[in-house]
Amino acid sequence: RAPARTDMRGRVAAGPAATSPKVGRAEAWGVLVFSTGDASISAAMQNGGITKIHHVDHETQNILGIWAKYTTIVYGE
């Protein structure tokens, strides 16, 4: 039996930035066959004003396969 709700978080990648004072987030949502948003690394970088990546995290939430939210979080300079 599949779980009713799934929440996953984890590091995706690391980059050349020495520190990570800035944070940028980008989200995409989906409900059944409809989806919207842009959870790309480049969108998160733009939202946070980041030009050098320190690391990237990803979060996924899913409820019964009906509703899902994908979030990309970029840390950098």
Side-chain angles (χ1 to χ4, degrees):
R1 178 179 155 151
R5 180 182 173 121
T6 303
D7 290 321
M8 297 173 53
R9 295 186 172 122
R11 181 149 301 165
V12 175
T19 59
S20 57
K22 295 181 181 178
V23 178
R25 297 176 70 91
E27 295 181 345
W29 299 73
V31 177
L32 291 176
V33 297
F34 174 78
S35 63
T36 186
D38 180 358
S40 67
I41 291 173
S42 59
M45 287 177 67
Q46 184 177 7
N47 291 341
I50 296 170
T51 57
K52 281 183 165 181
I53 294 174
H54 180 266
H55 71 276
V56 178
D57 289 341
H58 178 75
E59 297 177 359
T60 301
Q61 296 177 318
N62 185 319
I63 299 175
L64 297 172
I66 296 171
W67 176 89
K69 180 173 110 174
Y70 305 96
T71 306
T72 301
I73 307 148
V74 176
Y75 302 86
E77 302 172 3

Short mmCIF file of all heavy atoms in Angstrom, two decimals:
data_model
loop_
_atom_site.label_atom_id
_atom_site.label_comp_id
_atom_site.label_asym_id
_atom_site.label_seq_id
_atom_site.Cartn_x
_atom_site.Cartn_y
_atom_site.Cartn_z
N ARG A 1 0.84 -1.18 0.00
CA ARG A 1 0.00 0.00 0.00
C ARG A 1 0.88 1.24 0.00
O ARG A 1 1.78 1.39 0.81
CB ARG A 1 -0.89 -0.06 1.22
CG ARG A 1 -1.77 1.13 1.35
CD ARG A 1 -2.64 1.00 2.58
NE ARG A 1 -3.01 2.34 2.97
CZ ARG A 1 -4.09 2.66 3.57
NH1 ARG A 1 -4.93 1.73 3.90
NH2 ARG A 1 -4.36 3.87 3.86
N ALA A 2 0.59 2.16 -0.89
CA ALA A 2 1.36 3.40 -1.00
C ALA A 2 0.97 4.38 0.10
O ALA A 2 -0.18 4.41 0.53
CB ALA A 2 1.10 4.04 -2.36
N PRO A 3 1.93 5.15 0.59
CA PRO A 3 1.61 6.15 1.61
C PRO A 3 0.69 7.23 1.05
O PRO A 3 0.74 7.55 -0.13
CB PRO A 3 2.96 6.73 2.00
CG PRO A 3 3.87 6.42 0.87
CD PRO A 3 3.33 5.18 0.22
N ALA A 4 -0.16 7.78 1.92
CA ALA A 4 -1.10 8.82 1.50
C ALA A 4 -0.39 10.13 1.22
O ALA A 4 -0.83 10.92 0.41
CB ALA A 4 -2.17 9.01 2.56
N ARG A 5 0.71 10.36 1.90
CA ARG A 5 1.44 11.62 1.74
C ARG A 5 2.94 11.35 1.73
O ARG A 5 3.43 10.57 2.52
CB ARG A 5 1.09 12.57 2.88
CG ARG A 5 1.79 13.89 2.78
CD ARG A 5 1.45 14.78 3.96
NE ARG A 5 2.26 15.95 3.90
CZ ARG A 5 1.80 17.18 3.83
NH1 ARG A 5 0.51 17.39 3.80
NH2 ARG A 5 2.60 18.21 3.80
N THR A 6 3.64 12.02 0.84
CA THR A 6 5.08 11.90 0.76
C THR A 6 5.71 13.27 0.85
O THR A 6 5.30 14.18 0.14
CB THR A 6 5.49 11.26 -0.59
OG1 THR A 6 4.85 10.00 -0.72
CG2 THR A 6 6.99 11.09 -0.66
N ASP A 7 6.68 13.43 1.74
CA ASP A 7 7.47 14.65 1.86
C ASP A 7 8.93 14.25 1.76
O ASP A 7 9.42 13.48 2.58
CB ASP A 7 7.24 15.35 3.20
CG ASP A 7 5.86 15.97 3.32
OD1 ASP A 7 5.38 16.52 2.33
OD2 ASP A 7 5.28 15.89 4.41
N MET A 8 9.61 14.76 0.74
CA MET A 8 11.02 14.43 0.54
C MET A 8 11.84 15.70 0.45
O MET A 8 11.41 16.68 -0.15
CB MET A 8 11.20 13.61 -0.73
CG MET A 8 10.50 12.28 -0.69
SD MET A 8 10.52 11.39 -2.25
CE MET A 8 12.22 11.36 -2.65
N ARG A 9 13.04 15.67 1.05
CA ARG A 9 13.96 16.80 0.99
C ARG A 9 15.36 16.26 0.82
O ARG A 9 15.71 15.24 1.39
CB ARG A 9 13.90 17.63 2.26
CG ARG A 9 12.58 18.29 2.46
CD ARG A 9 12.60 19.22 3.65
NE ARG A 9 11.36 19.94 3.65
CZ ARG A 9 10.51 19.94 4.65
NH1 ARG A 9 10.78 19.29 5.74
NH2 ARG A 9 9.40 20.63 4.58
N GLY A 10 16.19 16.99 0.07
CA GLY A 10 17.56 16.54 -0.06
C GLY A 10 18.41 17.48 -0.88
O GLY A 10 17.90 18.28 -1.65
N ARG A 11 19.71 17.37 -0.70
CA ARG A 11 20.67 18.17 -1.46
C ARG A 11 20.76 17.61 -2.86
O ARG A 11 20.82 16.42 -3.07
CB ARG A 11 22.02 18.14 -0.77
CG ARG A 11 23.02 18.99 -1.50
CD ARG A 11 24.05 19.61 -0.64
NE ARG A 11 23.48 20.46 0.38
CZ ARG A 11 24.17 20.88 1.43
NH1 ARG A 11 25.40 20.54 1.59
NH2 ARG A 11 23.61 21.64 2.32
N VAL A 12 20.80 18.51 -3.84
CA VAL A 12 20.86 18.11 -5.23
C VAL A 12 22.27 18.27 -5.78
O VAL A 12 22.79 17.37 -6.42
CB VAL A 12 19.87 18.93 -6.08
CG1 VAL A 12 20.01 18.62 -7.55
CG2 VAL A 12 18.45 18.68 -5.61
N ALA A 13 22.90 19.42 -5.56
CA ALA A 13 24.20 19.69 -6.17
C ALA A 13 24.95 20.74 -5.37
O ALA A 13 24.37 21.45 -4.57
CB ALA A 13 24.01 20.17 -7.61
N ALA A 14 26.24 20.83 -5.64
CA ALA A 14 27.08 21.87 -5.03
C ALA A 14 27.83 22.60 -6.13
O ALA A 14 28.08 22.05 -7.19
CB ALA A 14 28.06 21.25 -4.05
N GLY A 15 28.16 23.86 -5.86
CA GLY A 15 28.83 24.67 -6.87
C GLY A 15 30.06 25.37 -6.33
O GLY A 15 30.51 25.08 -5.23
N PRO A 16 30.60 26.35 -7.09
CA PRO A 16 31.87 26.98 -6.74
C PRO A 16 31.81 28.09 -5.69
O PRO A 16 32.84 28.52 -5.22
CB PRO A 16 32.33 27.57 -8.08
CG PRO A 16 31.06 27.88 -8.79
CD PRO A 16 30.11 26.78 -8.39
N ALA A 17 30.65 28.57 -5.32
CA ALA A 17 30.58 29.68 -4.36
C ALA A 17 31.12 29.25 -3.00
O ALA A 17 30.84 28.15 -2.53
CB ALA A 17 29.14 30.17 -4.22
N ALA A 18 31.89 30.12 -2.37
CA ALA A 18 32.51 29.79 -1.09
C ALA A 18 31.53 29.88 0.08
O ALA A 18 31.63 29.13 1.04
CB ALA A 18 33.70 30.72 -0.84
N THR A 19 30.59 30.79 0.00
CA THR A 19 29.60 30.97 1.06
C THR A 19 28.21 31.02 0.43
O THR A 19 28.06 31.07 -0.77
CB THR A 19 29.84 32.28 1.84
OG1 THR A 19 29.77 33.37 0.92
CG2 THR A 19 31.20 32.28 2.52
N SER A 20 27.20 31.04 1.29
CA SER A 20 25.84 31.07 0.75
C SER A 20 24.95 32.07 1.49
O SER A 20 24.00 31.69 2.14
CB SER A 20 25.23 29.67 0.81
OG SER A 20 25.24 29.18 2.13
N PRO A 21 25.24 33.39 1.39
CA PRO A 21 24.42 34.37 2.09
C PRO A 21 23.05 34.60 1.44
O PRO A 21 22.13 35.07 2.10
CB PRO A 21 25.26 35.65 2.03
CG PRO A 21 26.09 35.48 0.80
CD PRO A 21 26.35 34.00 0.69
N LYS A 22 22.89 34.27 0.15
CA LYS A 22 21.62 34.49 -0.54
C LYS A 22 20.88 33.16 -0.73
O LYS A 22 21.50 32.12 -0.89
CB LYS A 22 21.84 35.12 -1.91
CG LYS A 22 22.42 36.51 -1.88
CD LYS A 22 22.56 37.03 -3.29
CE LYS A 22 23.16 38.41 -3.33
NZ LYS A 22 23.33 38.88 -4.72
N VAL A 23 19.55 33.26 -0.74
CA VAL A 23 18.70 32.08 -0.95
C VAL A 23 17.65 32.44 -1.99
O VAL A 23 17.02 33.49 -1.90
CB VAL A 23 18.01 31.64 0.36
CG1 VAL A 23 17.10 30.45 0.10
CG2 VAL A 23 19.02 31.32 1.43
N GLY A 24 17.45 31.57 -2.96
CA GLY A 24 16.40 31.76 -3.96
C GLY A 24 15.54 30.51 -4.03
O GLY A 24 16.03 29.40 -3.92
N ARG A 25 14.23 30.70 -4.17
CA ARG A 25 13.29 29.58 -4.23
C ARG A 25 12.48 29.64 -5.52
O ARG A 25 12.13 30.73 -5.97
CB ARG A 25 12.32 29.62 -3.05
CG ARG A 25 12.99 29.48 -1.70
CD ARG A 25 11.99 29.63 -0.57
NE ARG A 25 11.07 28.52 -0.47
CZ ARG A 25 11.27 27.44 0.27
NH1 ARG A 25 12.36 27.33 0.98
NH2 ARG A 25 10.40 26.47 0.31
N ALA A 26 12.14 28.49 -6.06
CA ALA A 26 11.27 28.40 -7.21
C ALA A 26 10.34 27.20 -7.00
O ALA A 26 10.78 26.16 -6.51
CB ALA A 26 12.08 28.24 -8.50
N GLU A 27 9.06 27.35 -7.36
CA GLU A 27 8.08 26.30 -7.10
C GLU A 27 7.25 25.97 -8.33
O GLU A 27 7.01 26.82 -9.18
CB GLU A 27 7.11 26.74 -5.99
CG GLU A 27 7.76 26.93 -4.65
CD GLU A 27 6.77 27.33 -3.57
OE1 GLU A 27 5.64 27.73 -3.90
OE2 GLU A 27 7.13 27.25 -2.39
N ALA A 28 6.84 24.73 -8.39
CA ALA A 28 5.88 24.27 -9.39
C ALA A 28 4.84 23.42 -8.66
O ALA A 28 5.18 22.71 -7.71
CB ALA A 28 6.56 23.45 -10.48
N TRP A 29 3.59 23.52 -9.07
CA TRP A 29 2.48 22.81 -8.45
C TRP A 29 1.77 21.95 -9.49
O TRP A 29 1.73 22.31 -10.67
CB TRP A 29 1.44 23.80 -7.91
CG TRP A 29 1.94 24.72 -6.86
CD1 TRP A 29 2.79 25.78 -7.02
CD2 TRP A 29 1.64 24.69 -5.49
NE1 TRP A 29 3.02 26.40 -5.83
CE2 TRP A 29 2.32 25.75 -4.87
CE3 TRP A 29 0.84 23.86 -4.72
CZ2 TRP A 29 2.23 26.00 -3.51
CZ3 TRP A 29 0.75 24.12 -3.37
CH2 TRP A 29 1.44 25.17 -2.77
N GLY A 30 1.17 20.88 -9.05
CA GLY A 30 0.37 20.06 -9.95
C GLY A 30 -0.83 19.49 -9.24
O GLY A 30 -0.75 19.08 -8.08
N VAL A 31 -1.99 19.52 -9.91
CA VAL A 31 -3.22 18.91 -9.40
C VAL A 31 -3.79 18.08 -10.54
O VAL A 31 -4.13 18.64 -11.60
CB VAL A 31 -4.24 19.97 -8.95
CG1 VAL A 31 -5.53 19.32 -8.49
CG2 VAL A 31 -3.66 20.84 -7.86
N LEU A 32 -3.86 16.78 -10.34
CA LEU A 32 -4.31 15.83 -11.36
C LEU A 32 -3.57 16.06 -12.68
O LEU A 32 -2.40 15.77 -12.77
CB LEU A 32 -5.82 15.90 -11.54
CG LEU A 32 -6.63 15.37 -10.36
CD1 LEU A 32 -8.12 15.57 -10.59
CD2 LEU A 32 -6.34 13.91 -10.08
N VAL A 33 -4.22 16.59 -13.70
CA VAL A 33 -3.58 16.77 -15.00
C VAL A 33 -3.18 18.22 -15.27
O VAL A 33 -2.72 18.54 -16.36
CB VAL A 33 -4.48 16.26 -16.15
CG1 VAL A 33 -4.71 14.77 -16.01
CG2 VAL A 33 -5.80 17.00 -16.17
N PHE A 34 -3.32 19.10 -14.31
CA PHE A 34 -2.97 20.51 -14.46
C PHE A 34 -1.72 20.82 -13.65
O PHE A 34 -1.60 20.39 -12.51
CB PHE A 34 -4.13 21.40 -13.98
CG PHE A 34 -3.79 22.86 -13.98
CD1 PHE A 34 -3.79 23.58 -15.16
CD2 PHE A 34 -3.45 23.51 -12.81
CE1 PHE A 34 -3.47 24.92 -15.17
CE2 PHE A 34 -3.13 24.85 -12.81
CZ PHE A 34 -3.14 25.56 -13.99
N SER A 35 -0.80 21.54 -14.25
CA SER A 35 0.39 21.96 -13.50
C SER A 35 0.78 23.38 -13.90
O SER A 35 0.44 23.85 -14.98
CB SER A 35 1.56 21.01 -13.76
OG SER A 35 1.92 21.04 -15.12
N THR A 36 1.48 24.05 -13.00
CA THR A 36 1.92 25.42 -13.25
C THR A 36 3.18 25.69 -12.45
O THR A 36 3.45 25.03 -11.46
CB THR A 36 0.81 26.43 -12.89
OG1 THR A 36 1.24 27.73 -13.29
CG2 THR A 36 0.51 26.44 -11.41
N GLY A 37 3.95 26.67 -12.90
CA GLY A 37 5.13 27.08 -12.17
C GLY A 37 6.42 26.65 -12.85
O GLY A 37 6.41 25.94 -13.86
N ASP A 38 7.53 27.10 -12.29
CA ASP A 38 8.86 26.80 -12.80
C ASP A 38 9.76 26.52 -11.61
O ASP A 38 10.12 27.45 -10.89
CB ASP A 38 9.37 27.98 -13.63
CG ASP A 38 10.75 27.76 -14.21
OD1 ASP A 38 11.36 26.70 -13.96
OD2 ASP A 38 11.24 28.66 -14.91
N ALA A 39 10.08 25.27 -11.38
CA ALA A 39 10.92 24.90 -10.24
C ALA A 39 12.36 24.65 -10.68
O ALA A 39 13.08 23.86 -10.07
CB ALA A 39 10.35 23.65 -9.56
N SER A 40 12.80 25.33 -11.72
CA SER A 40 14.16 25.12 -12.23
C SER A 40 15.19 25.83 -11.35
O SER A 40 14.89 26.77 -10.62
CB SER A 40 14.28 25.63 -13.66
OG SER A 40 14.16 27.04 -13.70
N ILE A 41 16.42 25.38 -11.46
CA ILE A 41 17.53 26.00 -10.74
C ILE A 41 17.71 27.44 -11.22
O ILE A 41 17.92 28.35 -10.41
CB ILE A 41 18.81 25.18 -10.90
CG1 ILE A 41 18.69 23.86 -10.15
CG2 ILE A 41 20.03 25.96 -10.40
CD1 ILE A 41 19.83 22.90 -10.37
N SER A 42 17.60 27.67 -12.51
CA SER A 42 17.78 29.03 -13.04
C SER A 42 16.70 29.98 -12.53
O SER A 42 16.99 31.15 -12.24
CB SER A 42 17.84 29.03 -14.56
OG SER A 42 16.66 28.50 -15.11
N ALA A 43 15.46 29.51 -12.38
CA ALA A 43 14.40 30.36 -11.83
C ALA A 43 14.67 30.69 -10.37
O ALA A 43 14.48 31.83 -9.93
CB ALA A 43 13.04 29.68 -11.98
N ALA A 44 15.15 29.72 -9.59
CA ALA A 44 15.48 29.97 -8.19
C ALA A 44 16.65 30.93 -8.06
O ALA A 44 16.65 31.81 -7.20
CB ALA A 44 15.79 28.65 -7.48
N MET A 45 17.64 30.79 -8.95
CA MET A 45 18.78 31.73 -8.94
C MET A 45 18.30 33.15 -9.22
O MET A 45 18.70 34.09 -8.55
CB MET A 45 19.82 31.32 -9.98
CG MET A 45 20.62 30.09 -9.63
SD MET A 45 21.77 29.61 -10.94
CE MET A 45 22.92 31.00 -10.91
N GLN A 46 17.45 33.30 -10.22
CA GLN A 46 16.94 34.62 -10.57
C GLN A 46 16.12 35.21 -9.43
O GLN A 46 16.26 36.39 -9.10
CB GLN A 46 16.09 34.53 -11.84
CG GLN A 46 15.59 35.86 -12.32
CD GLN A 46 14.80 35.73 -13.62
OE1 GLN A 46 14.51 34.64 -14.10
NE2 GLN A 46 14.43 36.87 -14.18
N ASN A 47 15.28 34.39 -8.79
CA ASN A 47 14.44 34.88 -7.68
C ASN A 47 15.27 35.33 -6.49
O ASN A 47 14.85 36.20 -5.73
CB ASN A 47 13.45 33.79 -7.25
CG ASN A 47 12.39 33.53 -8.29
OD1 ASN A 47 12.15 34.35 -9.18
ND2 ASN A 47 11.74 32.39 -8.20
N GLY A 48 16.46 34.73 -6.30
CA GLY A 48 17.31 35.10 -5.17
C GLY A 48 18.44 36.04 -5.54
O GLY A 48 19.24 36.40 -4.67
N GLY A 49 18.55 36.44 -6.81
CA GLY A 49 19.63 37.32 -7.23
C GLY A 49 20.99 36.64 -7.11
O GLY A 49 21.99 37.26 -6.76
N ILE A 50 21.05 35.35 -7.40
CA ILE A 50 22.25 34.55 -7.23
C ILE A 50 22.97 34.37 -8.57
O ILE A 50 22.33 34.06 -9.57
CB ILE A 50 21.89 33.18 -6.62
CG1 ILE A 50 21.31 33.39 -5.22
CG2 ILE A 50 23.10 32.25 -6.58
CD1 ILE A 50 20.69 32.16 -4.61
N THR A 51 24.29 34.56 -8.56
CA THR A 51 25.08 34.34 -9.78
C THR A 51 26.05 33.17 -9.62
O THR A 51 26.49 32.60 -10.61
CB THR A 51 25.88 35.60 -10.16
OG1 THR A 51 26.71 35.98 -9.06
CG2 THR A 51 24.95 36.75 -10.51
N LYS A 52 26.43 32.82 -8.37
CA LYS A 52 27.30 31.69 -8.09
C LYS A 52 26.60 30.77 -7.10
O LYS A 52 26.20 31.21 -6.02
CB LYS A 52 28.62 32.15 -7.45
CG LYS A 52 29.63 32.71 -8.37
CD LYS A 52 30.87 33.02 -7.56
CE LYS A 52 32.07 33.26 -8.40
NZ LYS A 52 33.25 33.54 -7.56
N ILE A 53 26.48 29.50 -7.46
CA ILE A 53 25.78 28.54 -6.60
C ILE A 53 26.73 27.94 -5.57
O ILE A 53 27.83 27.50 -5.91
CB ILE A 53 25.18 27.41 -7.46
CG1 ILE A 53 24.08 27.96 -8.37
CG2 ILE A 53 24.62 26.30 -6.58
CD1 ILE A 53 23.55 26.94 -9.35
N HIS A 54 26.27 27.89 -4.32
CA HIS A 54 26.97 27.15 -3.27
C HIS A 54 26.42 25.73 -3.23
O HIS A 54 27.16 24.76 -3.33
CB HIS A 54 26.81 27.83 -1.92
CG HIS A 54 27.52 27.12 -0.81
ND1 HIS A 54 26.90 26.20 -0.02
CD2 HIS A 54 28.81 27.18 -0.39
CE1 HIS A 54 27.76 25.73 0.86
NE2 HIS A 54 28.94 26.31 0.65
N HIS A 55 25.10 25.61 -3.07
CA HIS A 55 24.45 24.30 -3.17
C HIS A 55 22.97 24.47 -3.48
O HIS A 55 22.41 25.56 -3.37
CB HIS A 55 24.68 23.44 -1.93
CG HIS A 55 23.97 23.89 -0.70
ND1 HIS A 55 24.47 24.86 0.13
CD2 HIS A 55 22.79 23.50 -0.16
CE1 HIS A 55 23.63 25.03 1.14
NE2 HIS A 55 22.61 24.21 0.98
N VAL A 56 22.35 23.37 -3.88
CA VAL A 56 20.94 23.35 -4.27
C VAL A 56 20.23 22.26 -3.49
O VAL A 56 20.71 21.14 -3.40
CB VAL A 56 20.78 23.07 -5.79
CG1 VAL A 56 19.31 23.02 -6.19
CG2 VAL A 56 21.52 24.11 -6.61
N ASP A 57 19.06 22.59 -2.94
CA ASP A 57 18.22 21.61 -2.26
C ASP A 57 16.91 21.48 -3.04
O ASP A 57 16.52 22.38 -3.78
CB ASP A 57 17.89 22.05 -0.83
CG ASP A 57 19.08 21.96 0.10
OD1 ASP A 57 20.05 21.25 -0.23
OD2 ASP A 57 19.04 22.60 1.16
N HIS A 58 16.24 20.36 -2.83
CA HIS A 58 14.97 20.11 -3.50
C HIS A 58 13.98 19.55 -2.49
O HIS A 58 14.34 18.73 -1.65
CB HIS A 58 15.16 19.09 -4.63
CG HIS A 58 13.89 18.75 -5.34
ND1 HIS A 58 13.30 19.60 -6.24
CD2 HIS A 58 13.10 17.68 -5.26
CE1 HIS A 58 12.19 19.05 -6.69
NE2 HIS A 58 12.05 17.88 -6.11
N GLU A 59 12.74 20.01 -2.55
CA GLU A 59 11.67 19.50 -1.71
C GLU A 59 10.52 19.03 -2.60
O GLU A 59 10.18 19.70 -3.57
CB GLU A 59 11.14 20.58 -0.77
CG GLU A 59 12.15 21.10 0.21
CD GLU A 59 11.60 22.23 1.08
OE1 GLU A 59 10.43 22.62 0.91
OE2 GLU A 59 12.37 22.72 1.91
N THR A 60 9.96 17.88 -2.27
CA THR A 60 8.80 17.35 -2.99
C THR A 60 7.73 16.98 -1.99
O THR A 60 8.01 16.30 -1.01
CB THR A 60 9.18 16.09 -3.80
OG1 THR A 60 10.21 16.42 -4.72
CG2 THR A 60 7.99 15.55 -4.56
N GLN A 61 6.53 17.43 -2.23
CA GLN A 61 5.37 17.04 -1.43
C GLN A 61 4.34 16.44 -2.37
O GLN A 61 4.10 16.99 -3.45
CB GLN A 61 4.76 18.23 -0.70
CG GLN A 61 5.69 18.84 0.32
CD GLN A 61 5.07 20.06 0.97
OE1 GLN A 61 4.46 20.88 0.31
NE2 GLN A 61 5.23 20.16 2.27
N ASN A 62 3.73 15.33 -1.97
CA ASN A 62 2.76 14.65 -2.80
C ASN A 62 1.67 14.06 -1.92
O ASN A 62 1.97 13.40 -0.94
CB ASN A 62 3.47 13.54 -3.58
CG ASN A 62 2.57 12.87 -4.58
OD1 ASN A 62 1.41 12.60 -4.30
ND2 ASN A 62 3.11 12.58 -5.74
N ILE A 63 0.43 14.30 -2.28
CA ILE A 63 -0.70 13.74 -1.53
C ILE A 63 -1.53 12.88 -2.47
O ILE A 63 -2.14 13.38 -3.43
CB ILE A 63 -1.57 14.85 -0.90
CG1 ILE A 63 -0.73 15.66 0.08
CG2 ILE A 63 -2.79 14.25 -0.20
CD1 ILE A 63 -1.43 16.84 0.69
N LEU A 64 -1.50 11.58 -2.23
CA LEU A 64 -2.28 10.58 -2.98
C LEU A 64 -2.08 10.63 -4.49
O LEU A 64 -2.92 10.18 -5.25
CB LEU A 64 -3.78 10.74 -2.66
CG LEU A 64 -4.19 10.50 -1.21
CD1 LEU A 64 -5.65 10.87 -1.01
CD2 LEU A 64 -3.95 9.06 -0.82
N GLY A 65 -0.98 11.20 -4.94
CA GLY A 65 -0.76 11.31 -6.37
C GLY A 65 -1.68 12.28 -7.07
O GLY A 65 -1.68 12.39 -8.28
N ILE A 66 -2.48 13.02 -6.29
CA ILE A 66 -3.45 13.97 -6.85
C ILE A 66 -2.87 15.38 -6.84
O ILE A 66 -3.03 16.14 -7.78
CB ILE A 66 -4.77 13.93 -6.05
CG1 ILE A 66 -5.40 12.55 -6.19
CG2 ILE A 66 -5.72 15.02 -6.48
CD1 ILE A 66 -6.57 12.32 -5.27
N TRP A 67 -2.20 15.72 -5.76
CA TRP A 67 -1.63 17.06 -5.58
C TRP A 67 -0.14 16.93 -5.34
O TRP A 67 0.31 16.06 -4.59
CB TRP A 67 -2.29 17.75 -4.39
CG TRP A 67 -1.72 19.08 -4.05
CD1 TRP A 67 -2.12 20.28 -4.54
CD2 TRP A 67 -0.65 19.36 -3.14
NE1 TRP A 67 -1.36 21.29 -4.00
CE2 TRP A 67 -0.46 20.76 -3.13
CE3 TRP A 67 0.16 18.58 -2.34
CZ2 TRP A 67 0.52 21.37 -2.35
CZ3 TRP A 67 1.13 19.18 -1.57
CH2 TRP A 67 1.28 20.57 -1.58
N ALA A 68 0.66 17.78 -5.98
CA ALA A 68 2.11 17.74 -5.77
C ALA A 68 2.68 19.15 -5.82
O ALA A 68 2.18 20.01 -6.55
CB ALA A 68 2.78 16.88 -6.82
N LYS A 69 3.72 19.37 -5.02
CA LYS A 69 4.45 20.64 -5.03
C LYS A 69 5.94 20.32 -5.08
O LYS A 69 6.43 19.50 -4.30
CB LYS A 69 4.15 21.47 -3.80
CG LYS A 69 4.89 22.81 -3.78
CD LYS A 69 4.42 23.66 -2.61
CE LYS A 69 5.49 23.76 -1.57
NZ LYS A 69 5.16 24.67 -0.49
N TYR A 70 6.65 20.95 -6.02
CA TYR A 70 8.08 20.76 -6.20
C TYR A 70 8.75 22.10 -5.94
O TYR A 70 8.38 23.10 -6.54
CB TYR A 70 8.39 20.28 -7.61
CG TYR A 70 7.63 19.04 -7.97
CD1 TYR A 70 6.44 19.13 -8.68
CD2 TYR A 70 8.09 17.79 -7.58
CE1 TYR A 70 5.71 17.99 -8.99
CE2 TYR A 70 7.37 16.64 -7.90
CZ TYR A 70 6.19 16.75 -8.59
OH TYR A 70 5.47 15.63 -8.90
N THR A 71 9.72 22.13 -5.06
CA THR A 71 10.43 23.36 -4.71
C THR A 71 11.93 23.15 -4.87
O THR A 71 12.48 22.17 -4.39
CB THR A 71 10.14 23.77 -3.25
OG1 THR A 71 8.73 23.85 -3.05
CG2 THR A 71 10.77 25.11 -2.93
N THR A 72 12.57 24.09 -5.57
CA THR A 72 14.02 24.09 -5.70
C THR A 72 14.54 25.28 -4.91
O THR A 72 14.06 26.40 -5.06
CB THR A 72 14.43 24.23 -7.18
OG1 THR A 72 13.88 23.11 -7.90
CG2 THR A 72 15.94 24.22 -7.33
N ILE A 73 15.53 25.04 -4.04
CA ILE A 73 16.10 26.08 -3.20
C ILE A 73 17.58 26.18 -3.53
O ILE A 73 18.31 25.19 -3.41
CB ILE A 73 15.90 25.76 -1.71
CG1 ILE A 73 14.42 25.48 -1.43
CG2 ILE A 73 16.41 26.90 -0.83
CD1 ILE A 73 14.18 24.51 -0.35
N VAL A 74 18.00 27.37 -3.97
CA VAL A 74 19.40 27.59 -4.35
C VAL A 74 20.04 28.51 -3.32
O VAL A 74 19.48 29.54 -2.96
CB VAL A 74 19.48 28.22 -5.76
CG1 VAL A 74 20.92 28.55 -6.11
CG2 VAL A 74 18.89 27.29 -6.80
N TYR A 75 21.23 28.15 -2.86
CA TYR A 75 22.02 28.96 -1.92
C TYR A 75 23.28 29.40 -2.65
O TYR A 75 23.90 28.60 -3.34
CB TYR A 75 22.40 28.12 -0.69
CG TYR A 75 21.22 27.55 0.04
CD1 TYR A 75 20.66 26.34 -0.35
CD2 TYR A 75 20.66 28.22 1.12
CE1 TYR A 75 19.57 25.81 0.32
CE2 TYR A 75 19.58 27.70 1.80
CZ TYR A 75 19.04 26.49 1.40
OH TYR A 75 17.97 25.96 2.06
N GLY A 76 23.67 30.65 -2.48
CA GLY A 76 24.88 31.11 -3.15
C GLY A 76 25.13 32.60 -2.99
O GLY A 76 24.60 33.25 -2.09
N GLU A 77 25.92 33.12 -3.89
CA GLU A 77 26.32 34.53 -3.86
C GLU A 77 25.65 35.28 -4.98
O GLU A 77 25.43 34.76 -6.05
CB GLU A 77 27.83 34.65 -4.04
CG GLU A 77 28.62 33.91 -2.98
CD GLU A 77 30.11 33.90 -3.30
OE1 GLU A 77 30.56 34.51 -4.29
OE2 GLU A 77 30.84 33.25 -2.55
#
